[in-house]
Each structure stands twice: as structure tokens, then as C-alpha cells.
């Protein structure tokens, strides 16, 4: 069940501050509080969705389109398209998702290395 007190729900309600970079009807983008790259942005849907599984099962087509348009719009507005960027969404336990409100990470600003560490 969705936890309405998770930190991103509180940011959406304006109870916790965030360094916002983009906002529209369906999505909000803000800077990650512990950045892993010179640019590290989180893009979240405004609806109450736990993870990618929940979102793709229950969200409307407009919400799904809106979230992905917001990712592209955020990257364009921050000038990330020239050097390129990586998006990533952790979904569930094996992915180590920490905050139970769907979020898409955008990383940029330096060469980002291999996609995933290979197992030895
Ligand atoms: P994940 O492991 O994919 O669930 O990522 C959660 C991310 O949320 C981490 O990169 C955290 O640094 C970030 N985070 C947690 N609390 C906040 C906050 N209040 N504002 C911005 N980012 C946050």
C-alpha cells in the first residue's frame, strides 16, 4: 500500500523543501539531496504510485506520457542534451529502491561509466 508520508509525497504537498527544476500538471523534478553526478535530478509523477510496477499498472496514459515528457523537458531546460545523460528508476527490493514513490533519476555532467557493475 502507498505510504502517504514518504518523503516525496511530503515534497509534493509542500511540507518539505526541494530544489525544483521543472513542474507541470503531471510531474515534478527536483535536485537529489545526495548527488551522485554534477547534475542529479529526480523526476516524479504527481500521483500516488509506489514504483514502476504500480505506475504502469494503474496510471492513465496521460500520466505516463506526462512523466516521460517531463524527463525530456527537464534535460532540455538544464542543457543536458549536448553532453548526454542517463536515466534510471529503481523499482522494488532487488533494485534497492529507498523511497516508495516512483522516481526517475537523471544523471549528467561527467562521463558516467559502465551501465552496471559486472558480477565477478
Ligand atoms: P532510490 O534509491 O532510487 O529510491 O533513490 C532515492 C533517492 O532520493 C536518493 O538518491 C536520495 O539521495 C534521494 N532523496 C532522499 N530524500 C531526498 C530529499 N528530501 N530531497 C531530494 N532527494 C532526496
Amino acid at each position: 500500500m502507498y505510504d502517504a508520508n514518504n518523503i516525496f509525497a511530503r515534497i509534493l504537498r509542500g511540507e518539505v523543501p526541494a530544489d525544483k527544476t521543472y513542474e507541470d500538471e503531471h510531474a515534478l523534478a527536483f535536485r537529489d539531496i545526495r548527488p551522485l553526478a554534477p547534475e542529479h535530478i529526480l523526476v516524479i509523477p504527481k500521483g500516488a504510485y509506489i514504483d514502476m510496477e504500480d505506475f504502469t499498472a494503474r496510471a492513465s496514459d496521460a500520466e505516463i506520457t506526462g512523466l516521460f515528457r517531463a524527463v525530456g523537458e527537464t534535460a532540455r531546460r538544464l542543457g543536458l542534451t549536448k553532453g548526454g545523460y542517463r536515466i534510471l528508476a529503481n523499482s522494488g527490493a532487488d533494485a534497492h529502491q529507498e523511497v516508495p514513490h516512483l522516481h526517475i533519476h537523471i544523471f549528467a555532467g561527467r562521463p558516467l561509466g559502465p551501465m552496471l557493475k559486472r558480477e565477478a
Side-chain angles (χ1 to χ4, degrees):
M1 211 170 74
Y2 182 80
D3 170 13
N5 280 320
N6 77 74
I7 190 74
F8 295 168
R10 298 185 65 206
I11 286 173
L12 282 168
R13 288 197 297 269
E15 296 167 5
V16 171
D19 185 359
K20 297 179 185 179
T21 58
Y22 178 75
E23 181 166 16
D24 66 21
E25 178 190 356
H26 293 298
L28 175 68
F30 51 94
R31 290 202 154 81
D32 196 291
I33 205 166
R34 280 179 288 144
L36 294 168
E39 291 284 12
H40 183 174
I41 314 297
L42 301 171
V43 188
I44 67 173
K46 286 196 167 172
Y49 300 105
I50 300 169
D51 57 13
M52 192 61 87
E53 161 56 18
D54 189 23
F55 187 62
T56 53
R58 293 196 301 111
S60 68
D61 290 354
E63 288 175 298
I64 292 172
T65 304
L67 180 65
F68 281 90
R69 282 236 191 268
V71 171
E73 195 57 36
T74 298
R76 279 188 289 278
R77 288 182 184 215
L78 293 175
L80 309 183
T81 52
K82 189 158 183 280
Y85 59 93
R86 176 175 293 161
I87 66 172
L88 179 150
N90 293 316
S91 192
D94 279 356
H96 289 248
Q97 181 181 0
E98 286 172 17
V99 179
H101 181 111
L102 174 64
H103 45 284
I104 297 180
H105 297 258
I106 304 177
F107 303 105
R110 65 167 169 81
L112 294 165
M115 186 163 59
L116 205 62
K117 194 174 172 192
R118 287 193 188 280
E119 289 193 63

